[in-house]
Every structure is written in structure tokens, then in C-alpha cells.
Amino acid sequence: LNQNYPNPFNPSTKISFTLPQSTNVKLSVFNMLGEKLAELLNEVKSAGTYDINFDGSELSSGMYLYRLEADGFISTKKMTLIK
């Protein structure tokens, strides 16, 4: 899981990740209270690199978390929305 770009962003950003093998991938966005705001991906993906666009135009300015779950691997990173 890579850091989103650009960061800070307004209103959209790109989240990229690389998979070493085919597996089910779940990519979600949370607020700082841990409430899930969006599920960007929840499907089986083959090995490779992927870019997912996230549109935060419906959200207020602030810090958010995005989390990738794949084959027992979990990674979380922060991103900042500035309007």
C-alpha cells in the first residue's frame, strides 16, 4: 500500500497498491473516529499494481484513514483533505 497522491488533496486523490499474487482485496476509507465512510474495493484482483481514485468532494476538510486488507495483510495510512 502506497501513500496517496496528491496529499493533501482536493477533492480527489489516487491510492495505489501492489499485489504479489491473486487475492481478495478490500480497500476502505475511515474518519478519525474509526467510522467507515466508503468501501472503494472488495473483490478478487490478480497480481499487479493498481490505482484507485477516491473522490472526497462529499467530505469536510480533515484527516482520514484508508486501509487495505489482502490475504491476511493489513495496512493503514493517513490522508488529508483540504477544501
Side-chain angles (χ1 to χ4, degrees):
L1 179 63
N2 301 316
Q3 186 64 49
N4 65 301
Y5 182 83
N7 188 29
F9 67 99
N10 178 23
S12 63
T13 188
K14 179 176 75 171
I15 299 170
S16 61
F17 59 92
T18 302
L19 299 175
Q21 62 195 29
S22 179
T23 186
N24 187 65
V25 178
K26 187 173 178 183
L27 182 63
S28 305
V29 176
F30 299 86
N31 64 18
M32 294 307 285
L33 298 175
E35 299 167 331
K36 186 189 289 188
L37 304 177
E39 189 168 281
L40 305 180
L41 192 64
N42 190 0
E43 61 189 59
V44 174
K45 291 284 192 185
S46 56
T49 300
Y50 296 90
D51 294 328
I52 307 295
N53 289 315
F54 173 64
D55 183 359
S57 58
E58 300 295 317
L59 303 175
S60 57
S61 294
M63 194 170 300
Y64 296 90
L65 302 172
Y66 57 102
R67 178 169 128 162
L68 178 80
E69 299 176 55
D71 197 28
F73 172 83
I74 299 174
S75 182
T76 304
K77 294 196 182 284
K78 294 179 184 177
M79 60 183 171
T80 305
L81 171 61
I82 297 178
K83 289 195 172 180

